[in-house]
Amino acid sequence: MTSIILRTATRYMFPPLLVFSVYVLLRGHHYPGGGFVGGLFAGSAFALYALAFSAADARKLLRFDTRDITAFGLAVALISGIPPLFCGNAFLTGTWWKMPLLTGGVLDIGTPLVFDIGVYLVVLGVLLTLVFTLGEEE
Amino acid sequence: MVALLTICFVAALIAPLMHWALPKYAGVALVGAPLAMLAWLLKQLPEVMHGHPIEQTFQWVEGLGLELAFRLDGLSLLFALIISGIGALIILYTQGYFKGHPQQGRFLMYIIAFMASMLGVVLADNLLLVFIFWELTSFTSYLLIGFNHESEDARAAALQAMLVTVLGGLFLLAGLILMADATGTWRVSEILQRGAELRAHEHYLPILILVCIGAFTKSAQFPFHFWLPNAMQAPTPASAYLHSSTMVKAGVYLLARLHPALGGTEEWTVILTTIGAATFLVGAIMALGQHVLKRLLAYTTVSALGAMVMLLGVGTEESIKAMAAFVLAHAFYKATLFLVAGGITHETGGETSIDKLGGLRKAMPFSFVCAMLAAVSMGGIFPSFGFVAKETWIHALEHHPLLVLATVLGGAAYVLVGFSTGWKPFMGKMPAGLHAHEVPLSMRIGPLVLGLGCFVLAFTCGPIGAALVEPAASAIAADHLHVHLHLWGGFNKVLAISLVTVLIGVGFCFARPFFLGVAGRLGGLARFGPDATYQLLLSSVLKFASWQTRALQTGILRDYIRITVLATVALVGASFIRAGGFQRWENLSPVSVRVALISVLMVLAAFATVHSKSRLRSILSLGVVGYSMAILFTFFGAPDLAMTQLVIETLTVILLALAFYHLPTFSHGSAVRTRAIDAAIAIGAGVAITLLVLAALHVQTPTPVSDYYLDHSYKAAHGRNVVNVILVDFRALDTLGEITVLTIAALGAFALLKLRPKKEEAPK
């Protein structure tokens, strides 16, 4: 596909889509969103890019191999389950810390967030593995 | 005890590293582990002799009754001494046997791991722990038999030994669970004290049979004996250690251990005596027709194991003493003969048939002496420990004339095998073309110590009887027995029987050509034997597996979808109907106009999908169905689902479009019949799921689980979005499983798409 409209639109759409995907990931704990949807958004951003230009271009933009991202995400999710073991809790029990902010507030930060980031990466990796592989089949 | 056991396991782990760092001394250094164990055991000897077992317990998995409980009593001590003592000699022997072999480190690792597991079996005082170590010995045995993994025979033999012993292990597990259920404890020592209760329990017979199957497969009892001769594919040190002196005795050990709990009944006597005697004779007779060194020894090992089970089955004080003495005697002479056999094969460039060996006494005088010592003991000839053991054995069976007759025949076969392996290869003329030289030092120590031991034990049999045999026999009988072994019991009936046995044995030696001839003629009968039955079973299982794989995995996408949908509908439907089926139409909210409109749109889009003549149009109408679903989600307050559904739908359309891009256009639609079947399946699935969802509205649980989630989501998990909190916190393990599946699916798709044969190299 070499539609100039699509290409131009993609150039403008791509960065906000990625930022939005991270936003969806982070807000997921309190509002609709989360790692799964976030990963899907990020994946669709790259899928759009692959459609407008080519799978090879999208790969170049991504820099990392999609399978590496998948494996890394899975590892992150797995590792996020380990800290509770040191507190005598079961594997994957949510463990939380209070992080003081420069602005004076306190941010609750916990392993579920790390887990969600893992999910995000796995979904992104899996999706793009499929899209790129199918898209490159000539 | 636990520390020493741990050291043995650690020694196994570091063995390959040791071999890498110090290839010449790894074996020598690693002998430290069994020697430490041996020293500790000897130090405990006085305590245990006086009937004070050593105990050590750590909690492991409380909820399962699994604890690291260890207990050293007379019976454990006898076996542990044999295991660590012979283990040390074997490890040393390995150093010479595998000299320069690149895989020596691997072998050391396996054999030390085996030794540690076997020590675990005899020291463990918890049924589950016994089972864990028991399985570990099966597993290490598998690795050792299959050590020469490039040989197909070795792999097949390893698999056979593994399948037979592990199958038996499952029966054993069932028996142990029933036993724990009947007595309410997993602790072996407690169960032993509650024997009367167990024997009166309604599950006594099933327990006995299950435990016996486990023990019989492990200890190569008829008709499961066939795996042991085949296991001779293992390197000789492993055969000498696992398949003669230790692992195969695990079954005997277990029966002896459980004798106070299960023994003494008529069932026990009948099962053990019959199977034991049958094994004893079958092994002895099969040995007569063999000419391969290690197989000769293997069949007599089968036979000896049968004898131990038979003596246990008889169950009198005398027979228990005889069994304990025979375990000791057998370990010494059989390991010696195996080690010498390994030496002969090693130093003659791989010759294994005794009929092709001869005149080695000049080239291997040292091995000759050791082999002779062991052969005399195996034949039960004065003044060896084998003789002492056989005297007590015959004495114990005085009131069982049939068993004495069996003993005489079996004992005679032992004489033949002893001399075929310990005498024949060394005497006569050396065949032309055979070159041999003496084994290196490291391979001499084992045979020498064990061979001399056959006689040292005999001359010290009084104290040995009191120190080793008496505590072991007392533990088996759960009663204090007095053991007085003596080398010379005077001229009496027992001596006469013993003498007759040896004379018949000598006669057997002269009749060997006849036995070989008979064995040759009867060779055809093997296809009715248990080994053939095993092969038949194994190949039937494989055939069934490939048949059902072909039947289910047709490679046609439509079949996969049909099977998946039909299975779902059938399973869900069946439990739905069993639960009372669909009952009420209540509690349904009124249908608003917008929901009705969307629903109509969905139905129309679904029809369009099915009826479209172009793939692209199908995909797009399918997308309409999905988007409508997302809109429905927003109507009913599920923004998370709606958002996900929207993105998923978009991506599905893209993926399908990409995939279909490579496919040709529809050439023809499916046949009407196929379409009708598919339509029926689809409608069935739709109806089933709809009914299920409607019924789910009426399911009432006392406290809905959603209340818990709503309640704890913010308080415990710091999140207001319950859906997401469930995904990443409450049910995070499920999510972890799901993303793992997702990853595997992606890798599978990747492999299917990328690893196809290229057009040029397409299969012909």
Side-chain angles (χ1 to χ4, degrees):
Chain A
M1 265 187 274
T2 49
S3 151
I4 198 124
I5 300 174
L6 184 63
R7 285 190 169 187
T8 314
T10 304
R11 276 189 222 283
Y12 287 103
M13 292 277 286
F14 184 75
L17 262 175
L18 269 192
V19 173
F20 183 65
S21 80
V22 176
Y23 167 72
V24 168
L25 160 72
L26 292 179
R27 84 197 282 263
H29 215 58
H30 288 315
Y31 309 100
F36 192 79
V37 194
L40 287 176
F41 271 122
S44 25
F46 281 98
L48 181 64
Y49 199 90
L51 281 181
F53 297 88
S54 75
D57 289 330
R59 259 189 209 285
K60 229 178 275 169
L61 192 67
L62 187 63
R63 290 189 190 194
F64 298 103
D65 188 294
T66 53
R67 282 165 295 161
D68 291 348
I69 296 178
T70 315
F72 182 71
L74 206 52
V76 167
L78 199 66
I79 289 168
S80 80
I82 293 175
L85 295 180
F86 293 103
C87 314
N89 285 324
F91 180 63
L92 282 173
T93 311
T95 307
W96 295 85
W97 297 274
K98 301 256 182 230
M99 194 170 81
L101 295 179
L102 288 175
T103 52
V106 173
L107 181 67
D108 282 335
I109 192 157
T111 53
L113 175 66
V114 183
F115 184 80
D116 225 7
I117 292 173
V119 175
Y120 176 94
L121 291 174
V122 170
V123 172
L124 175 67
V126 167
L127 188 63
L128 292 184
T129 305
L130 294 178
V131 170
F132 289 171
T133 320
L134 278 171
E136 275 165 1
E137 284 280 305
E138 295 299 334
Chain B
M1 191 156 25
V2 176
L4 283 163
L5 207 54
T6 315
I7 287 176
C8 289
F9 275 111
V10 171
L13 277 180
I14 61 167
L17 284 178
M18 297 271 290
H19 177 251
W20 172 75
L22 305 161
K24 286 198 175 137
Y25 304 102
V28 181
L30 288 165
V31 167
L35 282 184
M37 191 56 147
L38 191 66
W40 181 81
L41 289 169
L42 288 174
K43 193 167 150 261
Q44 311 303 322
L45 189 59
E47 276 286 293
V48 175
M49 259 176 79
H50 292 106
H52 304 298
I54 319 281
E55 293 186 349
Q56 228 174 345
T57 306
F58 297 97
Q59 207 46 253
W60 187 6
V61 187
E62 213 164 340
L64 291 177
L66 181 54
E67 48 193 358
L68 295 170
F70 295 93
R71 188 166 191 270
L72 181 74
D73 66 357
L75 181 62
S76 311
L77 183 70
L78 176 67
F79 276 88
L81 280 174
I82 293 175
I83 295 162
S84 49
I86 297 184
L89 295 171
I90 295 282
I91 293 170
L92 203 60
Y93 183 90
T94 304
Q95 186 70 46
Y97 190 84
F98 278 115
K99 191 172 174 191
H101 193 292
Q103 302 280 338
Q104 195 194 354
R106 187 161 68 90
F107 185 82
L108 280 170
M109 175 164 86
Y110 295 164
I111 204 146
I112 298 174
F114 163 76
M115 183 187 70
S117 321
M118 190 65 207
L119 283 169
V121 170
V122 298
L123 293 177
D125 192 30
N126 178 294
L127 289 177
L128 286 173
L129 200 59
V130 169
F131 179 76
I132 290 171
F133 285 123
W134 176 281
E135 292 293 280
L136 273 176
T137 62
S138 293
F139 177 62
T140 42
S141 154
Y142 167 78
L143 293 173
L144 283 165
I145 299 171
F147 183 72
N148 294 320
H149 54 83
E150 280 160 14
S151 144
E152 197 178 339
D153 287 344
R155 290 200 305 270
L159 188 65
Q160 185 180 54
M162 173 94 155
L163 287 177
V164 173
T165 50
V166 170
L167 184 73
L170 291 178
F171 281 96
L172 175 68
L173 181 63
L176 297 181
I177 291 172
L178 278 181
M179 205 187 310
D181 188 52
T183 53
T185 173
W186 290 98
R187 194 67 80 81
V188 178
S189 45
E190 283 174 25
I191 291 173
L192 297 187
Q193 284 165 7
R194 295 162 65 174
E197 187 184 331
L198 193 60
R199 283 189 292 271
H201 197 274
E202 53 174 339
H203 290 150
Y204 169 71
L205 194 60
I207 291 174
L208 180 66
I209 291 172
L210 290 168
V211 169
C212 278
I213 292 177
F216 289 170
T217 48
K218 192 81 162 183
S219 283
Q221 299 294 302
F222 181 83
F224 306 113
H225 63 281
F226 57 89
W227 71 264
L228 186 55
N230 293 341
M232 292 300 127
Q233 292 284 345
T236 305
S239 306
Y241 192 36
L242 275 73
H243 308 118
S244 85
S245 45
T246 55
M247 181 186 103
V248 288
K249 289 200 182 115
V252 175
Y253 166 80
L254 189 78
L255 291 174
R257 167 57 71 216
L258 295 175
H259 176 260
L262 298 175
T265 60
E266 200 176 328
E267 293 94 330
W268 167 277
T269 309
V270 169
I271 295 178
L272 267 70
T273 316
T274 320
I275 299 289
T279 311
F280 174 60
L281 282 177
V282 166
I285 292 167
M286 298 287 282
L288 293 176
Q290 302 297 322
H291 63 89
V292 175
L293 267 175
K294 283 173 75 181
R295 287 182 80 86
L296 271 163
L297 295 171
Y299 275 111
T300 44
T301 305
V302 168
S303 167
L305 295 165
M308 293 170 199
V309 170
M310 173 178 81
L311 288 169
L312 262 179
V314 172
T316 58
E317 283 184 13
E318 294 304 316
S319 72
I320 286 172
K321 287 179 205 168
M323 181 253 164
F326 183 54
V327 165
L328 195 60
H330 178 258
F332 272 80
Y333 72 67
K334 193 54 76 61
T336 315
L337 286 174
F338 261 113
L339 293 181
V340 170
I344 292 174
T345 308
H346 193 254
E347 302 302 331
T348 55
E351 188 50 66
T352 57
S353 168
I354 57 167
D355 293 326
K356 292 188 184 145
L357 291 164
L360 292 175
R361 66 183 179 284
K362 289 205 186 91
M364 309 176 73
F366 186 86
S367 301
F368 177 44
V369 173
C370 299
M372 268 314 296
L373 294 175
V376 168
S377 187
M378 181 169 184
I381 296 168
F382 185 83
S384 63
F385 194 66
F387 172 77
V388 177
K390 206 163 67 180
E391 292 270 289
T392 45
W393 172 354
I394 294 172
H395 176 62
L397 297 180
E398 262 179 336
H399 305 293
H400 301 80
L402 271 180
L403 296 182
V404 172
L405 189 65
T407 307
V408 171
L409 283 177
Y414 286 17
V415 175
L416 169 90
V417 172
F419 283 88
S420 299
T421 51
W423 176 264
K424 196 169 175 303
F426 299 96
M427 303 312 281
K429 259 180 69 182
M430 201 151 158
L434 190 68
H435 299 285
H437 35 81
E438 190 54 89
V439 292
L441 179 66
S442 55
M443 289 170 72
R444 291 186 198 180
I445 296 173
L448 180 69
V449 171
L450 294 170
L452 280 181
C454 296
F455 288 83
V456 174
L457 288 180
F459 286 109
T460 56
C461 67
I464 287 291
L468 295 177
V469 179
E470 185 174 302
S474 303
I476 300 173
D479 191 7
H480 193 78
L481 302 185
H482 292 283
V483 176
H484 299 290
L485 296 182
H486 42 73
L487 184 53
W488 181 251
F491 293 98
N492 52 24
K493 202 166 67 180
V494 172
L495 183 71
I497 295 175
S498 196
L499 200 65
V500 170
T501 308
V502 175
L503 286 178
I504 296 179
V506 173
F508 275 10
C509 289
F510 286 107
R512 189 163 168 270
F514 167 74
F515 291 134
L516 286 181
V518 173
R521 274 199 296 281
L522 294 182
L525 288 178
R527 68 198 148 104
F528 303 110
D531 197 3
T533 314
Y534 163 84
Q535 301 295 356
L536 187 70
L537 278 175
L538 188 66
S539 62
S540 319
V541 168
L542 292 179
K543 264 188 212 140
F544 176 74
S546 64
W547 169 80
Q548 69 104 30
T549 309
R550 268 200 309 278
L552 293 177
Q553 308 281 337
T554 54
I556 301 169
L557 202 53
R558 165 180 279 132
D559 287 347
Y560 290 143
I561 295 176
R562 275 181 179 174
I563 291 173
T564 312
V565 173
L566 276 178
T568 313
V569 172
L571 289 173
V572 169
S575 45
F576 184 55
I577 289 167
R578 260 180 48 191
F582 182 72
Q583 285 156 346
R584 292 175 296 175
W585 280 103
E586 293 165 20
N587 292 346
L588 295 183
S589 48
V591 179
S592 63
V593 179
R594 51 182 191 171
V595 172
L597 279 177
I598 293 285
S599 306
V600 170
L601 181 64
M602 279 172 83
V603 173
L604 289 177
F607 269 106
T609 309
V610 182
H611 280 282
S612 163
K613 289 269 185 291
S614 121
R615 285 204 176 87
L616 198 59
R617 218 175 293 152
S618 284
I619 302 167
L620 289 175
S621 352
L622 197 62
V624 173
V625 178
Y627 279 131
S628 315
M629 182 61 90
I631 296 172
L632 281 183
F633 284 146
T634 58
F635 288 168
F636 293 105
D640 273 289
L641 288 179
M643 191 156 66
T644 311
Q645 178 79 18
L646 278 174
V647 191
I648 286 280
E649 274 317 319
T650 313
L651 288 166
T652 310
V653 170
I654 292 177
L655 280 176
L656 284 176
L658 283 174
F660 287 172
Y661 175 76
H662 305 288
L663 297 177
T665 48
F666 281 136
S667 53
H668 56 86
S670 314
V672 178
R673 212 180 121 226
T674 321
R675 282 177 166 234
I677 295 174
D678 286 347
I681 293 174
I683 291 170
V687 170
I689 299 299
T690 309
L691 288 179
L692 188 72
V693 171
L694 285 173
L697 289 174
H698 299 293
V699 174
Q700 297 285 338
T701 49
T703 46
V705 70
S706 50
D707 285 354
Y708 171 86
Y709 286 146
L710 288 171
D711 208 33
H712 287 73
S713 174
Y714 189 69
K715 273 188 269 174
H718 304 244
R720 284 195 201 93
N721 178 0
V722 186
V723 176
N724 198 51
V725 168
I726 291 175
L727 283 177
V728 300
D729 200 337
F730 292 141
R731 308 304 304 254
L733 196 60
D734 289 353
T735 311
L736 189 63
E738 279 154 20
I739 57 178
T740 310
V741 170
L742 208 55
T743 309
I744 295 167
L747 289 179
F750 180 80
L752 281 175
L753 289 167
K754 279 284 178 187
L755 305 181
R756 292 188 304 195
K758 299 243 162 52
K759 287 228 172 71
E760 307 85 272
E761 50 191 72
K764 280 154 204 154

